Amino acid sequence: MVKSGKLRSGTGSKLKRWKKGHSSDSNPQTSRFRQAAKSRFFSRPTEKSDLTVDALKLHNELQTGPLELSAGGRKDACMEEEPDQALSDRTSGTFLSGLSDCSNLTFRKVQRFWESNSAAHKEICAVLAAVTEVIRGQGGKETETEYYAALMTTLEVVDSAESQAAVAYLLNLVMKRVPAPVLMSKFSDTTKALMDVMSKQATSETASALRWILSCLATLLRKQDASVWTYPSTLQAYHGLLSFTVHNKPKVRKAAQQGVCSILRGSDFLFTDKAPTHHPAAVTTAKFCIKEMEQAGGSKEDTTTLHVLGLLKELMGTFPLGAVKSCCETLLRVMTLSHVLVTASAMQAFHRLFSGKPNASTLSPELNAQIITALYDYLPSENDLQPLLAWLAVMEKAHVHLACLQSSLSLGHLPRLFSAAMSCLLSPHTQVVSAATNTLKTLLTECVAPCMKEMGMITATASAGNPSSICKMFRIVEEGLSYRFHASWPFVLQVLGCFYRVAGKQAHPIMTKSLQSLADLRSTPQFPFSGELDLAVGGAVESMGPEVVLSVVPLNITGYDDDLEFPRSWLVPVIRDHVKNTNLGFFSSYFLPLASTLKQRAEELEQPGQKLEAKVYQTLQLQIWTMLPGFCTGPVDLLASFKGVARTLGMAINERPDLRLTVCQALRTIINKSCSTEEEKAEVGRFSKNFLPILFNVYSQQPAAGESGTYRMAVLDTIKVYLTVTEMEMINTFLQKATERLSCTESTEFTRLSMMDLVVAMAPFLDEVTMTKTFDLIRPYLQTKEPGMQKKAYRVLEEMCGGERDECRSFVVANLETLKVVLLESLKNASSPAKRPRLKCLINIVKRLGEEHKDFITALLPEVIICTKEVSVGARKNAYNLLVEIGNAFVRFCGNKKDAMEQYLVLVYAGLTGSVTMITCTILALTRLVFEYKDSIEVSTMEQLLHNVCLLLGARTREIVKAALGFIKVILFIMDPKTLASHVTVMMEGIGNIKDDVRRHFRTKLKNIFTKFIRKFGFELVKSMLPAEHHKVLANIRKAEARTKRRKQATEQQDDSDSEEEAPKTKTESIEDILAESDSDLSEDEGKAKGNAQKKAGKQQKGRAWLKEGEEDDPLNFLDPKVSQRVLATNPGLKKNAKVEHGFKVTSDGRLIIREEEEEDVKDKDEGEMKDILEEAGVKSKKTQKRKFRDDNFDDDMDIEPQLQYKAGGSGIHRPLGGSRDTGADYKSKKGKGDVKKKGKLDPYAYIPLKKAQLNRRKRAKLQGQFKGMVKGAQKGALSGKKMQKKKRKA
C-alpha cells in the first residue's frame, strides 16, 4: 500500500493545474438523457393519461393500507379549509368512492386534509362515504338537509363510541349549513337524540364524541326562535350544555363554553327587529356561574373557579343589570381569597366588562360607581408590579365607561383615582410610573375634557359639584411638583401639560400657583427637565392664552435696567411655538410696543459702542416678532383687532427688510387659516388697497448689490394669497398699472420680468373681458426672442386657461380659435424654457376640444412627441400628460376606446420614419401610451408594435436602443404571460441583434431585463434563445438569484431561532398580557436550590401569595384597612435581577440606541420594480430636481440664490473646496496662544476616533506615524507652556 504524505519539494511546479473556472472542462460534452428530459419539459402529453388522482389513491391504498395525502397533521386536522379541488376522471370503485366523489362543499375539510395514522379520521371518512352512497342510492341531491337527516338516523343506530364520534363530527359540520326552519321543526327530536348520546358519553371513560355533540346542541339552540326558550325542555337542554363548561377535559370544556357564548351572543332572534335586550337564558347562566363559584368556595381546588371566571369574562356584557350586580359581588368575594390566579382572572373579567361599553340596561352608572369604590379595597402594593398595572388598566376603563354613562358622577369619583395614580409615581418601577402617567392623561382627555365646555369659570372657592372635583384633581397633580416626586418630574410635567390643555381655559384661576412654581423650577441652575417643562407651559399658553400666562409669569423685559441674562427669555420661544386661537389685540398692545422699545434701545446702545448689549436687544426684538404668525392663527378678535395692527405690518414690510419674511408669513396665515367667514374675508380684503401696492413695490425693487433676494419669493406668495380676498375691480386697476409699467420703454429688464410675474399672479382672478385684453397684451411676447419674457407670457396664458373659475372656462371657449392660431404660429419660436408652460396651456385647451378640432391635435402631435426629450423635467412631464390627454380626446371623439387607440397610434407611428431623435421620442411616447391604455389596445396592434420596436433594437444609435429597451421592460410588466410567451422568440432575437458596443453600454439595463425574463420563463429557455455572448451574464444572474434566496432563507432561520430564545418582555398592551405575567419566576439561585421540589409543586406554585411583614420591628396589623395591600403576587424577599450589560446606550424612556456603520435600507422588491416601470413609462421623472422651491410655478429667471441640498464631503470631486478645516480651530484662543476650554464641549485634547480600519496590520506603520506626530505636538505644546510659566515666575 502506498504511503500517503506530502509531495516532495519542487513537485508542485511540475504538476499541471486547472486554470481558475476550468475545473469541469473534462466533463463529457454529450448529455443525451438530459436533453431528452429537457425536450419533454415544456411539452404536454397529447393523449389522455391513465394516471388520475383516484388511481393514485387506489395505488397508495394497495401499497400502504391507509390513504395518505399529508402526514404530520393534528388528529382533528380537518379544521382548516382549502378552496381548490382535485378533478379527475371516474376510475374503479373503492370503499371510499362516496368520499372522493362527495359534491357537498360542507365536507371539503374531510376531503382535503388527511392523516393516515388516525383511526378516528378513517372512521369519519368511512361514515361519510357510506352516508353519501345511501343518499345517492335514494336519488338524493346531496343537500345539507339530506345529510342532516341521514346522519341523525345514523347517530341513533350506531353503538360504538368511535362511530358516534365520527357521526357527531360530520353532524357538527353540516348543522351549521342546514336551513333554520328545518332545525326549528326537528328541534324536539334532535334535542332528544343529542341528549341521549350526551348522557351516555358523560358517564363513559372515552368521551370522544362529547365535544362534537355539545357543538351540535349549541348550533341547534342558537337557531331557535325566542318563544322556544319558554319551554322547560329547552332550558333543560341548555342546562345540560352549561354543566359541561366546568368539565375537567379541556376540549370538552372549551366546546361547551364556546357553545354557551354563541347562544347568548349570536342567537338568530337577537338580530331581528323586535329582538329582546338580553337572551332569555342570560339570568340562568349567571346563576349557574355564581353557584359554581360559591360551591368551590375557598378550597385549594380552585380550577372550577378559574373555569367559571374564564366563562364570565366573555359573558358578563350580555347579562341584565341584576345578574351583572350579583356576578360582580361574587367576583369581589372570590378576590378576597388572595389567590393570585383567581384575582387576575377576576380583574380580566372586570376589564372585559368595562371595555365592551355595555349600555345602562346591563351596567348602570350607579353599579359602575359601586364597582369602582369596591375595587379600591383591592389596590395592590406599589412593589407588586403586574397586579398594579392590571388594577390601573381596569380602573381607567371603569372611569372612562362611567363618563360615557354619566359625566357628573364620573368627575366625582376621579379625585380618588388621581390620588392613587399619583402615589404610583413614587413607585421604583418605571413601568408603573409610565402606566400611571398614561392613565392620568387618558382620564383627562376622555373624562374631563368633554365636560369642560359646559362649565363656567372655575375658581379656588368652588365647594361642590364638578368645579370642586376639578379643583381637587388639580391640587393632587400639583402636589407632584414637590421634592418627593423629583425622580418622576418628567411624568408629572406631562400630566400637568395635559391638564393645562384640557382645563386651562376655564380653570386658569386655580393654576396660577403651579405656573409660578414651574417658572421657579425653570430658573434653577442646570434643571434637567427643561424640555418637558417648556411643553407643559406651552400647553398653558395654548389653552389660557399668552395674556394670562404672562400676568402670572411676566417676561421681566422692559428695555431699561434689565438683567442681561434675561432669566425669563425662555418664555418667548415657548409662546411662539404654542400660541394660537388667542387675541390678536394683545400682540398689538403688549408685544409691538415692547419690540419697538427694544429696537430703540439697541440703536441707543450701538452709538457708544456697546455692540454686545445692542446685539442682545436686537435679537430679542426679532424673536418677539416671530410670535406674530402664531397670534395670526385663528385669532378670536380678528374683526376688531386687524385694523389696529394692519398699518404697523405694512410699515414693517416696507421699511424693515429683516421682518419681511415673518410679516408675510403672518398675512398668509391670517388669510389661509383664519378667514373662515365672509365678514372676516371682507375685513382683511378691505386693506388690500394698502398692502398690495406695498408688496408690489417691494417685489419690483431690485435688491442692492450683495443683498439677498430670497424674500421676493415670500412676497410673491403673499401677493397670490391676498388676491384671493381682493375685489375684482381693484385687481383690474392693479393689472392696468402693471401693464403700463410693462409697456414702458424706460423700464429695465428686471422691472419688466417682475411686472410679468405680477401679471401671472393676477391673471386667474380677472373677469373675461380683462382676460381677453391681457391676452392681446401678451400675444407679442409669445414670439419674442427673450426666453424669460416668453416663458412668463406663456405662464400668464397657462393661468388664464387652467383656472377653475367660470370666467377662465368662458375665456377659453370664446377665444378658442384665436388660441389655436396663436399657439400654432408661435411653435417655431418657442424656446426651451417656455416649453413647460406652453404644454400646460395645450393640456388645458385639449380638454375642451371637440371632434371638429381633430386637425389641430394632429398638427400638435409632432411637437408633443419631441418634447418627451426636453431638458426640463417639467416639460417632459407635461409632454407625457398631454399625450395621455390627447388619447382621452380621441376616446371622446370615437366613443369606443379600441377604435380611438387604433386611430391615435397610427398618427404616432409616423414618427418612427423620422430622424434619430424623432424615432427615440416616438418610442418613448408609445411606451407611455401602451402603459396608460394597456387595456384598450387590441392584441394584434400590441404585437405589431412589439415587433417593430424589436427591429429597432438592432440600430447603431444608443438613444434608440435605450428607448426600445425601456419599451420592452414596460411590456414585460403589463402584458399577460400567456400572450407574452408567444413573443419571447421575437424579443430575444431583437436583444441578440444589439450591437456589441451598445450592448456593453447598456449591460446593467440588459441584466435587469434578463432577470425579468428568467423569472417569467426559466433559465434554460432564455439561455437557449440568446447568443453565446450573453450566457456569462445569464449564469451570473442565476448565481445572484440563488445567493439572494439562500440569504433570505438564512435570515428567516435566524429570525426563527432568535424568536425561540427567551426575549425581553415588551410593553404589554392588553389586560390579558398584563395579568399573564403576574406570576413571577424564582431567581436562578433559589431555583437551583429547590430543584425537584419546584417540579413536584407543579401548578400549585402559580397560586402562591406572599405576605409582606411590617417595617423593622413593627408587627403586621391585620385590622388595618389597607392590609390587603400586604398580600403580594411576587416574593418580596427576592432581589431584582441585575441589569444585563448589553453594551448599548439607553434613552431616558428605556429605548436602546443602536448604531450600525453600514445600515442597509432594504426596499421592497415590488415597490422598486414598480418605480422603475413608472420611470420608464414617463409617469415619474427619472432625475430629481436639485433645486426645490416651495412653489412649483416660481420662475427660474428670478434673481434668487436658493440653497442647494448637496453638501461637499468625501474625496475627489466631492471634496470641500473651502480648504481643510483645522479640527482644533474651535478651541483656539482669540487673545493669546494655546487652547481654551469651552462650555458644553469636550476638553481641548487630541481625540483619536476608533475605527475598524485601524486594526489592519498593513496600515500599522502609517497609524503609528500619525500617533507619533500627535505625541510630538503635545510635547512641543507642553514645553512651550512650561517656558511661559518660567518667564511669568521670573517676572
Side-chain angles (χ1 to χ4, degrees):
M1 195 171 190
V2 180
K3 184 180 179 181
S4 62
K6 293 183 179 179
L7 293 171
R8 289 181 298 173
S9 61
T11 311
S13 60
K14 298 176 183 178
L15 292 174
K16 289 185 179 181
R17 296 181 180 275
W18 293 110
K19 292 182 181 179
K20 189 175 181 180
H22 292 271
S23 59
S24 60
D25 285 357
S26 62
N27 288 354
Q29 297 298 319
T30 58
S31 50
R32 53 196 179 114
F33 296 108
R34 289 186 183 180
Q35 295 299 329
K38 285 179 187 176
S39 66
R40 294 193 61 188
F41 183 76
F42 293 102
S43 63
R44 303 291 297 171
T46 54
E47 298 179 0
K48 194 171 185 178
S49 174
D50 295 331
L51 182 63
T52 62
V53 174
D54 283 341
L56 188 61
K57 288 179 184 176
L58 181 62
H59 172 74
N60 289 340
E61 179 63 25
L62 293 173
Q63 294 293 325
T64 61
L67 287 167
E68 186 172 333
L69 283 180
S70 66
R74 303 188 305 263
K75 289 189 177 181
D76 52 347
C78 29
M79 292 295 113
E80 304 290 336
E81 294 187 10
E82 191 170 321
D84 44 345
Q85 302 283 333
L87 302 176
S88 64
D89 295 330
R90 182 77 177 174
T91 56
S92 58
T94 67
F95 79 100
L96 288 182
S97 297
L99 167 64
S100 60
D101 295 345
C102 177
S103 61
N104 197 305
L105 294 177
T106 306
F107 304 106
R108 58 184 170 183
K109 295 178 183 178
V110 183
Q111 292 172 312
R112 302 298 299 163
F113 293 88
W114 300 78
E115 188 175 0
S116 57
N117 299 324
S118 171
H121 205 150
K122 292 177 184 176
E123 189 69 25
I124 291 171
C125 297
V127 169
L128 179 59
V131 171
T132 305
E133 289 297 329
V134 169
I135 292 173
R136 285 180 182 162
Q138 296 179 359
K141 297 181 180 179
E142 298 185 46
T143 62
E144 286 83 1
T145 307
E146 291 171 344
Y147 273 105
Y148 165 64
L151 287 169
M152 283 302 301
T153 306
T154 309
L155 184 66
E156 295 171 357
V157 173
V158 294
D159 295 327
S160 65
E162 293 78 10
S163 300
Q164 281 186 343
V167 174
Y169 173 72
L170 295 172
L171 197 59
N172 165 57
L173 288 180
V174 79
M175 280 183 71
K176 294 173 183 176
R177 291 174 174 264
V178 174
V182 176
L183 294 179
M184 288 180 185
S185 62
K186 295 293 180 181
F187 172 65
S188 58
D189 298 336
T190 308
T191 307
K192 184 177 181 303
L194 293 177
M195 292 294 286
D196 290 342
V197 177
M198 193 165 66
S199 59
K200 290 178 184 177
Q201 290 277 331
T203 54
S204 65
E205 293 182 1
T206 58
S208 54
L210 194 54
R211 57 187 292 208
W212 308 121
I213 293 293
L214 292 172
S215 182
C216 293
L217 185 58
T219 305
L220 183 66
L221 290 171
R222 189 161 53 87
K223 297 287 185 182
Q224 302 308 311
D225 197 18
S227 59
V228 177
W229 286 92
T230 58
Y231 306 148
S233 58
T234 309
L235 292 175
Q236 183 182 359
Y238 179 72
H239 275 286
L241 175 64
L242 203 56
S243 62
F244 286 98
T245 56
V246 290
H247 198 271
N248 56 354
K249 291 188 176 180
K251 290 184 178 180
V252 174
R253 183 173 65 250
K254 183 179 179 182
Q257 290 190 357
Q258 286 180 343
V260 171
C261 291
S262 67
I263 291 169
L264 294 189
R265 287 181 176 274
S267 291
D268 290 353
F269 65 84
L270 291 176
F271 301 99
T272 57
D273 295 334
K274 297 181 180 180
T277 311
H278 304 283
H279 197 281
V283 178
T284 308
T285 310
K287 289 179 180 178
F288 170 81
C289 294
I290 294 169
K291 179 184 173 185
E292 289 292 330
M293 282 194 288
E294 288 177 347
Q295 285 180 352
S299 63
K300 293 182 180 179
E301 295 297 328
D302 49 27
T303 52
T304 302
T305 306
L306 291 174
H307 298 334
V308 176
L309 287 173
L311 181 61
L312 274 179
K313 182 175 67 173
E314 302 294 334
L315 292 181
M316 268 179 58
T318 64
F319 293 166
L321 180 59
V324 171
K325 185 175 182 181
S326 303
C327 287
C328 290
E329 291 171 353
T330 309
L331 286 179
L332 293 170
R333 279 200 298 273
V334 299
M335 285 172 68
T336 59
L337 300 175
S338 299
H339 189 286
V340 177
L341 292 180
V342 170
T343 304
S345 299
M347 294 297 276
Q348 285 183 357
F350 278 124
H351 189 273
R352 183 66 66 89
L353 173 65
F354 293 125
S355 299
K357 294 188 176 181
N359 53 30
S361 63
T362 296
L363 185 62
S364 65
E366 292 76 17
L367 178 58
N368 195 329
Q370 288 171 5
I371 296 172
I372 289 173
T373 306
L375 284 175
Y376 281 107
D377 296 334
Y378 303 92
L379 174 63
S381 169
E382 62 181 18
N383 295 316
D384 222 0
L385 177 62
Q386 296 302 333
L388 186 54
L389 293 176
W391 187 87
L392 284 171
V394 171
M395 293 299 276
E396 177 190 319
K397 292 292 183 185
H399 282 80
V400 169
H401 184 251
L402 182 56
C404 296
L405 295 174
Q406 191 173 337
S407 58
S408 58
L409 189 59
S410 169
L411 285 177
H413 282 76
L414 278 176
R416 188 175 179 185
L417 181 57
F418 266 63
S419 179
M422 286 300 293
S423 65
C424 291
L425 295 184
L426 297 170
S427 171
H429 299 289
T430 311
Q431 285 176 279
V432 173
V433 177
S434 179
T437 306
N438 291 331
T439 297
L440 289 171
K441 288 161 69 175
T442 303
L443 293 173
L444 285 170
T445 52
E446 297 195 20
C447 301
V448 178
C451 307
M452 292 308 299
K453 293 180 180 178
E454 303 169 1
M455 296 187 202
M457 194 61 66
I458 300 173
T459 59
T461 58
S463 58
N466 294 344
S468 173
S469 301
I470 300 293
C471 291
K472 289 177 184 176
M473 284 187 278
F474 188 76
R475 289 194 193 102
I476 293 167
V477 175
E478 190 179 14
E479 191 183 348
L481 294 176
S482 59
Y483 188 72
R484 67 192 185 107
F485 286 91
H486 74 280
S488 302
W489 270 348
F491 300 96
V492 174
L493 291 171
Q494 286 184 39
V495 179
L496 262 180
C498 186
F499 217 132
Y500 287 148
R501 287 182 177 87
V502 167
K505 190 173 183 181
Q506 291 86 359
H508 63 79
I510 65 171
M511 299 177 172
T512 53
K513 184 181 175 183
S514 63
L515 283 173
Q516 291 170 351
S517 302
L518 291 181
D520 295 338
L521 280 175
R522 186 68 165 75
S523 60
T524 55
Q526 296 180 345
F527 180 66
F529 311 118
S530 56
E532 290 86 350
L533 192 147
D534 289 351
L535 287 174
V537 177
V541 171
E542 285 182 22
S543 58
M544 304 178 196
E547 188 172 358
V548 175
V549 174
L550 290 176
S551 66
V552 179
V553 189
L555 272 176
N556 293 336
I557 300 173
T558 60
Y560 298 94
D561 301 326
D562 289 324
D563 180 5
L564 291 180
E565 290 292 330
F566 296 109
R568 294 279 175 83
S569 60
W570 58 272
L571 275 170
V572 176
V574 170
I575 294 174
R576 178 197 65 204
D577 295 339
H578 295 92
V579 64
K580 59 182 178 181
N581 303 326
T582 186
N583 293 316
L584 181 58
F586 179 66
F587 183 82
S588 58
S589 62
Y590 180 80
F591 284 111
L592 280 183
L594 179 59
S596 177
T597 304
L598 295 178
K599 171 73 174 170
Q600 185 180 353
R601 182 62 176 156
E603 292 173 354
E604 291 174 1
L605 289 171
E606 204 164 353
Q607 298 298 328
Q610 295 178 337
K611 292 187 177 179
L612 180 60
E613 291 83 353
K615 185 68 176 174
V616 170
Y617 278 110
Q618 180 71 13
T619 305
L620 264 178
Q621 65 94 19
L622 287 175
Q623 285 185 342
I624 287 172
W625 272 100
T626 58
M627 298 182 194
L628 180 59
F631 275 92
C632 293
T633 305
V636 295
D637 59 342
L638 180 62
L639 294 173
S641 300
F642 185 70
K643 57 187 176 185
V645 77
R647 186 171 182 275
T648 309
L649 298 184
M651 291 173 62
I653 294 172
N654 200 19
E655 300 171 3
R656 297 281 303 276
D658 54 338
L659 298 179
R660 280 174 186 161
L661 292 174
T662 303
V663 177
C664 287
Q665 182 188 353
L667 286 175
R668 293 196 301 272
T669 304
I670 282 181
I671 297 169
N672 289 331
K673 297 183 179 179
S674 306
C675 292
S676 54
T677 63
E678 292 298 326
E679 293 81 4
E680 290 173 338
K681 289 180 181 179
E683 175 65 20
V684 178
R686 190 163 63 88
F687 292 91
S688 58
K689 63 179 182 297
N690 307 105
F691 278 109
L692 285 176
I694 295 172
L695 293 169
F696 288 162
N697 290 333
V698 170
Y699 184 75
S700 59
Q701 288 174 2
Q702 188 167 3
E707 183 183 346
S708 174
T710 51
Y711 64 88
R712 298 182 73 242
M713 180 181 173
V715 171
L716 186 61
D717 282 343
T718 310
I719 290 170
K720 291 177 180 177
V721 172
Y722 219 118
L723 285 169
T724 59
V725 294
T726 308
E727 295 179 356
M728 194 177 293
E729 293 80 5
M730 194 168 292
I731 298 176
N732 292 339
T733 307
F734 290 138
L735 181 68
Q736 187 176 357
K737 292 181 180 179
T739 52
E740 288 175 2
R741 291 190 66 182
L742 183 63
S743 307
C744 182
T745 54
E746 298 177 0
S747 299
T748 62
E749 183 182 359
F750 181 86
T751 304
R752 289 190 295 119
L753 289 172
S754 301
M755 288 302 109
M756 193 63 92
D757 285 327
L758 297 178
V759 174
V760 171
M762 288 184 277
F765 304 101
L766 305 174
D767 56 10
E768 185 181 346
V769 178
T770 315
M771 278 187 185
T772 307
K773 291 180 181 178
T774 308
F775 175 51
D776 295 335
L777 172 73
I778 64 163
R779 190 168 174 177
Y781 293 108
L782 295 175
Q783 299 188 4
T784 183
K785 292 184 179 179
E786 296 179 38
M789 288 298 293
Q790 189 187 62
K791 178 181 178 179
K792 292 183 189 301
Y794 275 111
R795 285 281 293 109
V796 175
L797 194 58
E798 175 191 344
E799 291 293 335
M800 292 193 294
C801 293
E804 296 296 328
R805 294 166 62 242
D806 294 334
E807 290 85 352
C808 298
R809 295 192 183 94
S810 57
F811 163 75
V812 174
V813 174
N815 299 276
L816 191 55
E817 295 300 326
T818 312
L819 285 168
K820 286 166 53 180
V821 173
V822 169
L823 289 171
L824 287 176
E825 286 178 353
S826 58
L827 171 59
K828 295 179 181 179
N829 298 321
S831 60
S832 182
K835 291 288 186 182
R836 184 184 66 82
R838 174 182 169 83
L839 291 168
K840 192 71 176 176
C841 292
L842 290 171
I843 289 174
N844 294 321
I845 291 171
V846 168
K847 286 180 181 178
R848 295 178 171 84
L849 292 180
E851 191 173 1
E852 64 275 8
H853 304 286
K854 207 170 186 179
D855 296 337
F856 173 68
I857 293 177
T858 308
L860 286 178
L861 203 51
E863 179 197 2
V864 181
I865 293 174
I866 285 289
C867 285
T868 55
K869 286 287 287 180
E870 271 292 331
V871 178
S872 166
V873 177
R876 294 200 301 271
K877 182 180 177 181
N878 286 346
Y880 285 122
N881 290 340
L882 183 51
L883 283 169
V884 175
E885 201 55 54
I886 292 174
N888 294 338
F890 270 92
V891 172
R892 287 200 309 271
F893 301 160
C894 298
N896 184 4
K897 279 191 175 182
K898 294 190 175 180
D899 295 341
M901 285 301 107
E902 193 76 28
Q903 295 180 21
Y904 186 20
L905 291 176
V906 167
L907 296 176
V908 180
Y909 286 158
L912 295 175
T913 60
S915 61
V916 171
T917 306
M918 192 64 189
I919 293 172
T920 306
C921 294
T922 305
I923 297 173
L924 293 174
L926 288 169
T927 305
R928 176 58 188 271
L929 292 174
V930 165
F931 179 82
E932 195 72 31
Y933 297 103
K934 50 183 175 289
D935 299 326
S936 306
I937 300 176
E938 291 282 357
V939 178
S940 57
T941 308
M942 191 79 83
E943 292 174 356
Q944 181 188 0
L945 180 57
L946 183 59
H947 280 258
N948 291 333
V949 172
C950 289
L951 290 175
L952 291 172
L953 286 170
R956 295 182 178 275
T957 312
R958 290 178 179 177
E959 290 296 319
I960 295 177
V961 177
K962 181 181 179 181
L965 289 175
F967 181 86
I968 286 179
K969 194 186 290 186
V970 172
I971 285 290
L972 277 172
F973 178 75
I974 65 170
M975 192 176 274
D976 181 53
K978 292 181 181 178
T979 312
L980 194 63
S982 58
H983 304 291
V984 174
T985 309
V986 179
M987 287 190 281
M988 290 302 176
E989 286 178 1
I991 292 173
N993 292 333
I994 297 176
K995 302 293 185 288
D996 289 343
D997 62 328
V998 180
R999 176 171 55 82
R1000 284 191 294 271
H1001 185 75
F1002 293 120
R1003 57 186 177 274
T1004 306
K1005 194 177 279 287
L1006 280 170
K1007 187 176 180 180
N1008 191 356
I1009 292 174
F1010 289 154
T1011 304
K1012 289 180 170 57
F1013 270 114
I1014 289 172
R1015 286 175 185 169
K1016 284 182 180 290
F1017 303 107
F1019 176 80
E1020 296 296 338
L1021 179 64
V1022 175
K1023 184 178 179 182
S1024 64
M1025 292 183 174
L1026 282 173
E1029 57 264 23
H1030 293 285
H1031 290 180
K1032 195 173 181 181
V1033 179
L1034 297 178
N1036 179 266
I1037 291 171
R1038 182 164 65 171
K1039 287 180 181 178
E1041 292 282 302
R1043 191 184 308 120
T1044 306
K1045 188 176 180 181
R1046 285 196 304 271
R1047 284 178 181 171
K1048 188 176 179 182
Q1049 291 174 349
T1051 307
E1052 290 175 355
Q1053 291 174 0
Q1054 182 68 25
D1055 292 343
D1056 293 341
S1057 63
D1058 290 345
S1059 63
E1060 289 172 5
E1061 296 175 4
E1062 186 177 354
K1065 292 178 183 178
T1066 55
K1067 182 180 177 183
T1068 52
E1069 295 181 356
S1070 64
I1071 187 75
E1072 287 81 2
D1073 297 335
I1074 292 173
L1075 293 169
E1077 298 173 3
S1078 61
D1079 178 42
S1080 63
D1081 299 328
L1082 292 172
S1083 66
E1084 188 178 350
D1085 297 335
E1086 189 172 349
K1088 288 180 181 177
K1090 294 198 174 181
N1092 297 329
Q1094 183 181 356
K1095 295 180 182 177
K1096 290 179 181 178
K1099 296 181 180 178
Q1100 284 82 2
Q1101 184 71 23
K1102 294 183 179 179
R1104 291 184 59 183
W1106 284 266
L1107 197 65
K1108 185 180 179 183
E1109 297 293 343
E1111 299 294 335
E1112 298 179 357
D1113 296 331
D1114 184 22
L1116 181 60
N1117 181 10
F1118 283 97
L1119 298 178
D1120 186 358
K1122 293 187 177 180
V1123 72
S1124 63
Q1125 296 185 18
R1126 300 283 187 157
V1127 181
L1128 305 180
T1130 53
N1131 190 347
L1134 294 182
K1135 295 182 179 179
K1136 292 183 182 178
N1137 293 330
K1139 288 186 178 179
V1140 181
E1141 290 294 335
H1142 40 62
F1144 298 114
K1145 292 183 180 180
V1146 183
T1147 59
S1148 59
D1149 55 352
R1151 291 178 296 171
L1152 295 178
I1153 303 174
I1154 302 175
R1155 291 189 177 92
E1156 297 182 7
E1157 289 184 3
E1158 296 180 0
E1159 293 183 355
E1160 295 181 0
D1161 296 330
V1162 182
K1163 295 185 178 179
D1164 190 22
K1165 191 179 290 185
D1166 295 337
E1167 290 182 3
E1169 185 178 352
M1170 190 63 191
K1171 182 182 177 184
D1172 194 22
I1173 296 299
L1174 292 175
E1175 286 179 355
E1176 293 292 349
V1179 179
K1180 285 187 177 180
S1181 56
K1182 293 184 182 180
K1183 296 180 181 179
T1184 57
Q1185 288 176 302
K1186 291 183 179 178
R1187 304 182 180 186
K1188 293 186 177 181
F1189 294 96
R1190 291 183 183 177
D1191 188 1
D1192 293 333
N1193 297 328
F1194 189 66
D1195 293 323
D1196 299 329
D1197 308 319
M1198 294 186 184
D1199 188 14
I1200 290 178
E1201 298 176 1
Q1203 294 182 351
L1204 300 180
Q1205 286 187 338
Y1206 173 75
K1207 291 183 180 179
S1211 58
I1213 61 170
H1214 302 288
R1215 68 189 185 282
L1217 298 177
S1220 60
R1221 186 171 175 269
D1222 187 7
T1223 54
D1226 294 341
Y1227 297 98
K1228 192 172 182 180
S1229 176
K1230 296 180 181 177
K1231 297 181 180 178
K1233 291 185 178 181
D1235 295 332
V1236 292
K1237 289 190 177 185
K1238 296 214 171 180
K1239 187 177 179 181
K1241 290 192 175 184
L1242 300 171
D1243 286 346
Y1245 301 129
Y1247 293 94
I1248 302 168
L1250 298 177
K1251 298 178 182 177
K1252 191 177 179 181
Q1254 292 174 347
L1255 300 176
N1256 195 328
R1257 293 181 179 178
R1258 291 175 296 172
K1259 297 181 180 178
R1260 183 181 293 173
K1262 181 181 177 182
L1263 293 169
Q1264 285 177 349
Q1266 290 179 356
F1267 296 153
K1268 286 177 182 177
M1270 290 180 186
V1271 174
K1272 285 180 182 178
Q1275 290 172 345
K1276 189 177 178 182
L1279 187 62
S1280 63
K1282 200 172 182 181
K1283 289 179 180 178
M1284 290 291 292
Q1285 283 182 348
K1286 284 182 180 179
K1287 287 181 182 179
K1288 286 181 181 178
R1289 287 172 188 166
K1290 289 178 181 178

